[in-house]
Amino acid sequence: MSYINAKNVLPGWLLEEVRNYTGDGLVYIPPEQSSRREWGSKSGARQLLETRNDEIRRKKKEGRTVLQLAGEYNLSEDTIKRILYR
């Protein structure tokens, strides 16, 4: 994202109104909330973790212990428990 000079995009009256509130400082205008993506949705990391967690739950139902799952997935026992009980 690059900086845009407000004089080039805002009408004069609006620019003056913004100055009344902010002075001469920098103003950041965030994107609309609807245009933000959830974490990992673009890279696919979220889906990979959901698939892994489903697999961990399935293996637990098949009889694996928390300790076995922790070793298999290189996660702590607490993390495995958090996945199972969520």
Side-chain angles (χ1 to χ4, degrees):
M1 176 171 266
S2 61
Y3 289 102
I4 300 172
N5 190 333
K7 284 193 290 185
N8 297 335
V9 294
L10 298 178
W13 64 269
L14 184 54
L15 186 58
E16 287 302 317
E17 194 66 28
V18 170
R19 280 191 187 125
N20 289 336
Y21 286 94
T22 63
D24 290 330
L26 296 175
V27 176
Y28 170 73
I29 302 173
E32 290 185 39
Q33 194 66 15
S34 62
S35 68
R36 296 191 68 179
R37 293 184 176 155
E38 290 184 338
W39 173 87
S41 63
K42 184 176 180 181
S43 67
R46 177 176 292 275
Q47 183 60 42
L48 286 173
L49 289 177
E50 287 177 10
T51 303
R52 180 203 67 185
N53 293 348
D54 290 342
E55 192 174 290
I56 288 171
R57 289 184 196 98
R58 182 181 51 77
K59 287 182 179 182
K60 177 64 174 149
K61 284 182 182 178
E62 293 173 355
R64 300 251 177 102
T65 66
V66 171
L67 187 60
Q68 289 171 330
L69 292 169
E72 184 176 339
Y73 289 94
N74 295 318
L75 298 171
S76 71
E77 292 178 46
D78 288 336
T79 300
I80 296 293
K81 289 177 185 176
R82 194 169 32 247
I83 291 168
L84 293 173
Y85 303 125
R86 186 172 293 167

